[in-house]
Amino acid sequence: MKKIGVFTSGGDSPGMNAAVRAVVRTGIYNNIEVYGIHRAYDGMIAGDIHRLESKDVSGIIQRGGTIIKSARSAAFRTKEGRKKAYESLKTAGIEGLVAIGGDGTFTGAKIFEAEYGIPSIGVPGTIDNDLFGTDNTIGYDTALNTVVEAVDKIRDTASSHDRLFFVEVMGRDAGFIALRSGIGVGAEAILVPETPTYIDTLIQKIEKGREQHKSSAIIMVAEGDDAGNAAEVARKVKEKFDFYDTKVTVLGHIQRGGSPSAADRVLASRLGVAAVEALLEGKTNQMVGVVNNQIAYTPYEKAIKHHNKLNENLLRLAEILST
Ligand code: F6P
């Protein structure tokens, strides 16, 4: 293998740049040319492919976002789109891919490999942490720190006014951000899509806190919770229990930005190196992760089924600590 491509796809996450840097430098170390495919699968289709040298990835390890941009491609979901993408790669002479992203990214890479035989290794880059086969995804730690910092500030004002806050965090179908940051901020309740939410039970919890003279309550809500988003949950609670002055805060895309934490920079660097080494060893169709501090490879198929990953112990801990 002499030429490989790297791209960042799906929702961006802090640390993607560190991963791109690691891929480029590991390629160069192994006498391989590395090409940045801009705007993910859309750029692959359009042939927006450019050689990356060592200097191109200087000074980016600390930067949030992704210098080669990201996208969610509708065109790549079509056969014609993938054919064009293959033709672009052929023209550029690219023989293998490092795909940095989440489940949509890996689903695309898997189909592409089956149709055109282009080998690829996935690097988990998403703030959601919703991939099986790695303890943490790149960006998750930074996003958690962003949420904790923001909610600490909310707590200050919530306590001053005896208010009940519903704080919505990202995670369309995964509660990792809500659960871990909720524990980190001492939330009174944490609502995640993986477990059913009962409004009456939630009200009992809030009520109990009020009886114990708690001066505020923070309810962390994953955006994809089965009871609805934070505004909907707040409305349902307010209909039955109106003792607190209630506010809703949606943290939104602030969670996706910012300079990556030290943990994310190191994780991204390890995974970027391991991805290129895996391609050179002839591996394909797998995501590289870190499990128990060791590099691990998981087939795409398995990596995207994250649902048995939410930590039962953390759920139990959250329940104990919120009493
Ligand atoms: O997958 C990452 C993520 O940030 C999710 O948590 C969120 O639901 C989604 O992307 C938001 O996507 P967009 O930036 O396209 O609105």
Side-chain angles (χ1 to χ4, degrees):
M1 202 172 276
K2 281 281 153 223
K3 290 183 182 184
I4 63 171
V6 59
F7 61 97
T8 49
S9 171
D12 62 346
S13 70
M16 278 183 161
N17 278 328
V20 170
R21 171 181 177 269
V23 169
V24 171
R25 298 227 163 134
T26 310
I28 292 168
Y29 186 82
N30 287 285
N31 298 316
I32 288 174
E33 291 179 13
V34 182
Y35 289 77
I37 302 168
H38 292 232
R39 296 178 292 108
Y41 292 118
D42 277 345
M44 203 184 285
I45 291 168
D48 196 356
I49 300 171
H50 308 275
R51 175 105 180 253
L52 289 169
E53 308 271 13
S54 188
K55 66 172 173 16
D56 298 318
V57 292
S58 280
I60 66 166
I61 196 167
Q62 76 280 15
R63 281 171 58 188
T66 159
I67 59 160
I68 51 174
K69 308 225 179 222
S70 192
R72 291 192 171 95
S73 175
F76 196 76
R77 291 200 198 102
T78 66
K79 268 194 169 300
E80 307 78 73
R82 292 194 293 275
K83 187 164 178 284
K84 279 192 193 148
Y86 173 68
E87 280 156 9
S88 304
L89 293 185
K90 231 176 115 185
T91 308
I94 289 171
E95 301 155 274
L97 295 170
V98 175
I100 305 171
D103 50 3
T105 310
F106 301 158
T107 304
K110 183 171 161 280
I111 297 170
F112 198 51
E113 206 257 7
E115 286 177 351
Y116 294 102
I118 301 276
S120 72
I121 293 292
V123 171
T126 165
I127 62 163
D128 292 347
N129 203 34
D130 58 346
L131 292 164
F132 185 79
T134 191
D135 291 339
N136 288 323
T137 55
I138 298 167
Y140 176 54
D141 182 67
T142 308
L144 286 179
N145 284 304
T146 302
V147 172
V148 166
E149 197 187 330
V151 179
D152 283 350
K153 289 178 177 149
I154 292 172
R155 178 73 85 175
D156 289 343
T157 173
S159 317
S160 307
H161 291 268
D162 294 336
R163 275 175 172 162
L164 165 62
F165 266 83
F166 291 83
V167 181
E168 182 176 307
V169 292
M170 279 188 168
R172 275 182 293 214
D173 52 17
F176 298 98
I177 298 178
L179 178 57
R180 207 168 261 263
S181 66
I183 291 172
V185 300
E188 276 63 28
I190 303 170
L191 313 185
V192 294
E194 291 86 346
T195 58
T197 296
Y198 303 107
I199 295 295
D200 288 340
T201 315
L202 177 61
I203 290 173
Q204 279 163 21
K205 260 192 176 175
I206 302 169
E207 169 80 272
K208 203 166 147 205
R210 210 179 65 95
E211 284 164 10
Q212 290 166 353
H213 306 290
K214 282 198 175 189
S215 64
S216 66
I218 303 279
I219 315 298
M220 296 297 292
V221 187
E223 63 180 331
D225 188 69
D226 63 322
N229 61 24
E232 285 158 357
V233 176
R235 185 183 45 76
K236 287 178 187 168
V237 169
K238 236 173 137 49
E239 267 168 20
K240 296 191 179 177
F241 179 80
D242 201 13
F243 288 100
Y244 272 110
D245 185 8
T246 302
K247 298 282 174 190
V248 175
T249 301
V250 179
L251 293 183
H253 287 79
I254 191 173
Q255 295 162 90
R256 289 238 296 261
S259 179
S261 65
D264 274 328
R265 295 181 198 192
V266 175
L267 177 67
S269 301
R270 288 182 76 183
L271 295 179
V273 172
V276 176
E277 290 179 346
L279 269 184
L280 293 179
E281 283 163 19
K283 290 193 170 76
T284 182
N285 246 336
Q286 299 182 46
M287 182 195 85
V288 61
V290 170
V291 177
N292 294 332
N293 205 23
Q294 299 294 321
I295 293 290
Y297 296 94
T298 305
Y300 284 148
E301 179 94 26
K302 204 167 162 197
I304 59 188
K305 297 200 174 103
H306 71 271
H307 290 286
N308 49 353
K309 191 181 159 189
L310 198 73
N311 191 320
E312 295 288 332
N313 282 331
L314 284 189
L315 279 171
R316 200 176 69 87
L317 196 131
E319 193 56 40
I320 295 171
L321 297 180
S322 64
T323 49

